[in-house]
Amino acid sequence: MKTQRNVNYRSLDYGAKALIVLVLSIGFAAIVYGVQMIPFDLFNLPAWVFGPLGVYTLIYSFVAGKDAIYYLVWGSVMFIVAATSAFYKMVNVIIVFGVLLIVLAVIGLIAYRRSR
């Protein structure tokens, strides 16, 4: 006797995929620091967390039909935090903060013009 199952396979939403990206990036960081490919630096940890997550969020903002501006803003913020964390010895944090403000203003202007 065959049973017919009506299974609704839905694709993973942003949160589930973001969690996968987060776990993968922390796993890679653990491997890189564990085999001592690079020396451990506590200030670089946000780059491992927010870098891949920010890039994923930016890509998702272009793919997602709804709330694209929301994901674009948060992806930009996470990516800038990651870049600041990765290059904090080479780049002044105030300059990066200024760039972030300019990027957010441009995104806001684009969103405003699209809504009109």
Side-chain angles (χ1 to χ4, degrees):
M1 178 172 157
K2 271 189 178 177
T3 346
Q4 190 173 17
R5 297 165 77 181
N6 187 8
V7 180
N8 184 9
Y9 292 105
R10 67 179 182 100
S11 65
L12 298 175
D13 58 345
Y14 169 81
K17 290 178 184 174
L19 183 63
I20 292 169
V21 168
L22 182 66
V23 170
L24 284 173
S25 65
I26 292 173
F28 285 129
I31 291 170
V32 166
Y33 287 134
V35 297
Q36 298 177 351
M37 292 174 95
I38 59 174
F40 179 75
D41 188 359
L42 187 62
F43 292 117
N44 285 340
L45 284 181
W48 287 98
V49 173
F50 292 117
L53 192 58
V55 170
Y56 169 71
T57 305
L58 284 172
I59 292 170
Y60 186 82
S61 72
F62 294 114
V63 175
K66 58 180 192 262
D67 299 329
I69 300 298
Y70 173 80
Y71 291 110
L72 184 64
V73 167
W74 280 110
S76 301
V77 168
M78 285 189 279
F79 185 72
I80 293 293
V81 167
T84 303
S85 174
F87 302 112
Y88 75 95
K89 291 181 181 177
M90 295 182 271
V91 179
N92 188 351
V93 176
I94 303 299
I95 293 173
V96 175
F97 182 68
V99 169
L100 174 64
L101 290 177
I102 291 169
V103 166
L104 291 177
V106 168
I107 291 171
L109 182 65
I110 292 170
Y112 175 73
R113 291 195 181 226
R114 282 174 78 188
S115 67
R116 291 181 83 199

